Amino acid sequence: MTAPSSAERKACWEARDQLWRCLDDNNDKATCCQNFQSEFEAKCPAQWVKYFMKRRDFLKYKEKMQTDGFTPAEGPKQPS
Amino acid sequence: MKTRNSSHFDGLTIKTKLLRTRLLVTLLFGSGLLAVWLYVYSEKQQKLRQQRIQQLQRVALGQGSFSLLDHRGQRRTKRDFLGSWVLMYFGFTHCPDICPEELDKLSAVVSALDRDASLPPVQPLFITVDPERDDVPALARYVKDFHPRLIGLTGTSEEVKHAGQDYRVYASPGPKDEDGDYIVDHTILIYLISPDGLFLDYYNRTKDQEQITESIRNHVKNYIRL
Ligand SMILES: [Cu+2]
C-alpha cells in the first residue's frame, strides 16, 4: 500500500479542516456534519481518519487547558 | 688601608643592598604580574578545556556511523556527509500530518539558508523509521514533495534502528488495521550535524522556520573545527 501523494495529503487535510470547522460551528454535533464526515472519510485513509479524530480531541483538550490555565498533564496522548 | 678598604666595601655593600632591594621589588612586582597572567591564562585554558569536553560529550550522541540506501538506491554512510552541514529528520511516508509539516519547515529553512551566499549549503536528510513500507521507490516518491536536495534514507530494520539509536530516536509502530495500515509514533526532532559529523543542536515542533534558520546561521558562523 503506497503512501498518499502530496495532492492526496492536501485533499485529505482540506476535508479534515472543513469537517473540523463544521464541528466547531455546531458544538460538535456530528449529525450536523454528516456530509463533511463522509467527504473526510472518502479523502483520507482509514488510519488517518482515526488519527485525526484523536488529534482533534487532543488539540481541543490542549486549548481548553491553556484557556483555563491548567497544564495538560494527563490529557489524551498524541502520536505523530 | 683597612678602613678605606672597609669603607669602600661598606659603600659597595650599600649599593649592592639597594640593587638587591630594587631587584626584589621588580621581581615581586613582575611575579605578581606573571601570577595574574598565569591565572587568566589558566582560566582561559580551563574554559577551552571545558568547551572541548562539552563538544566531545555531544559527540557521544551521534558518533555512530549509519549505512543506508538513499532514494536512488545508492548506499550512503555518515562519512559521505562529513564536511557539510546536515539537517536530519526521522519520520515515515505514511505520516498523517506532523512529518510533512516538519519536512516543509525543514525545506523552507534550507531554502532560506541557500539564499545567503555567505553560508555553505546545508544538506537535508530524511531517515525513515518505517523500513517495512518505506523502500527506495516509496522514498523517491516522497522526497520530491520537499526541498530538491532532500535525500531519503532507508535500509533493513536493523540498519534503520542503528541509525536512529545514535540520536536516541524513539519509534514505535501502532496496531495494523484491516488495510494493514498503521501509524508510527516517533521522535519529531530536527537535528543539526556539524561538518565534523557531530551533533550540535536540535529543534522541536515549537521552533518556527525563522528561529531555526537564525540558530543554524549562528552555529555556522561561530563554528570552530575540532
Ligand atoms: Cu510523523
Side-chain angles (χ1 to χ4, degrees):
Chain A
M1 185 199 154
T2 56
S5 68
S6 170
E8 286 164 339
R9 272 198 305 272
K10 264 155 211 153
C12 164
W13 294 345
E14 214 164 285
R16 172 202 62 188
D17 292 344
Q18 280 179 348
L19 171 65
W20 285 6
R21 210 170 305 133
C22 175
L23 289 171
D24 284 344
D25 294 344
N26 292 284
N27 279 314
D28 278 4
K29 269 213 295 227
T31 44
C32 303
C33 307
Q34 226 116 65
N35 284 344
F36 291 113
Q37 180 71 36
S38 44
E39 187 71 4
F40 170 57
E41 285 172 19
K43 296 262 170 77
C44 301
Q47 191 68 240
W48 289 22
V49 169
K50 261 196 289 176
Y51 167 85
F52 283 129
M53 295 313 251
K54 274 192 272 175
R55 180 129 184 96
R56 184 163 189 274
D57 289 343
F58 168 76
L59 292 173
K60 291 221 107 183
Y61 176 81
K62 206 169 94 174
E63 200 183 332
K64 188 170 170 283
M65 284 299 128
Q66 270 161 0
T67 49
D68 294 356
F70 294 115
T71 47
E74 278 166 63
K77 277 227 176 138
Q78 191 58 48
S80 56
Chain B
M1 177 83 177
K2 203 184 176 190
T3 346
R4 222 209 287 161
N5 258 358
S6 100
S7 70
H8 174 76
F9 274 121
D10 279 346
L12 204 69
T13 317
I14 291 164
K15 258 192 210 159
T16 315
K17 268 189 185 160
L18 262 169
L19 201 71
R20 263 196 210 141
T21 318
R22 210 185 289 162
L23 210 74
L24 206 71
V25 169
T26 313
L27 224 83
L28 275 174
F29 185 66
S31 59
L33 275 182
L34 190 73
V36 169
W37 182 79
L38 273 174
Y39 178 74
V40 171
Y41 180 74
S42 73
E43 274 258 294
K44 206 176 158 189
Q45 288 296 305
Q46 180 77 17
K47 220 170 148 191
L48 281 176
R49 250 197 310 272
Q50 268 171 358
Q51 276 176 357
R52 182 156 175 97
I53 288 165
Q54 277 168 0
Q55 270 177 329
L56 290 173
Q57 277 167 342
R58 289 196 208 109
V59 177
L61 184 82
Q63 60 185 168
S65 60
F66 59 77
S67 174
L68 298 163
L69 289 178
D70 71 11
H71 63 272
R72 294 192 178 90
Q74 274 182 316
R75 189 147 289 273
R76 299 293 195 108
T77 66
K78 192 174 165 185
R79 273 189 149 189
D80 299 335
F81 300 101
L82 289 182
S84 61
W85 290 87
V86 170
L87 267 183
M88 194 185 243
Y89 184 78
F90 292 85
F92 66 114
T93 67
H94 285 76
C95 180
D97 55 350
I98 295 181
C99 289
E101 281 170 21
E102 291 302 285
L103 284 172
D104 273 337
K105 190 165 80 181
L106 187 145
S107 299
V109 167
V110 174
S111 296
L113 294 167
D114 282 348
R115 283 192 289 275
D116 187 340
S118 70
L119 298 173
V122 173
Q123 175 62 57
L125 297 184
F126 172 68
I127 301 181
T128 184
V129 293
D130 186 17
E132 193 186 319
R133 288 183 293 183
D134 290 345
D135 52 10
V136 169
L139 284 179
R141 273 193 302 275
Y142 196 63
V143 294
K144 65 175 175 13
D145 296 335
F146 304 100
H147 192 279
R149 276 206 310 279
L150 180 65
I151 294 176
L153 294 167
T154 186
T156 65
S157 61
E158 285 75 29
E159 285 169 337
V160 163
K161 203 180 275 175
H162 175 76
Q165 257 166 11
D166 290 328
Y167 298 92
R168 318 269 154 92
V169 168
Y170 158 83
S172 162
K176 284 186 187 175
D177 65 12
E178 316 78 71
D179 308 330
D181 195 9
Y182 54 93
I183 301 270
V184 184
D185 187 15
H186 63 96
T187 306
I188 47 175
L189 297 173
I190 296 173
Y191 299 89
L192 177 66
I193 319 291
S194 78
D196 292 314
L198 304 184
F199 161 78
L200 268 196
D201 211 343
Y202 66 88
Y203 309 100
N204 61 27
R205 290 260 293 166
T206 64
K207 294 274 183 295
D208 66 24
Q209 187 199 319
E210 282 74 31
Q211 289 170 315
I212 300 174
T213 306
E214 207 39 48
S215 167
I216 296 172
R217 206 190 294 277
N218 283 331
H219 276 298
V220 173
K221 296 227 157 119
N222 298 324
Y223 185 62
I224 307 154
R225 272 193 104 88
L226 272 186

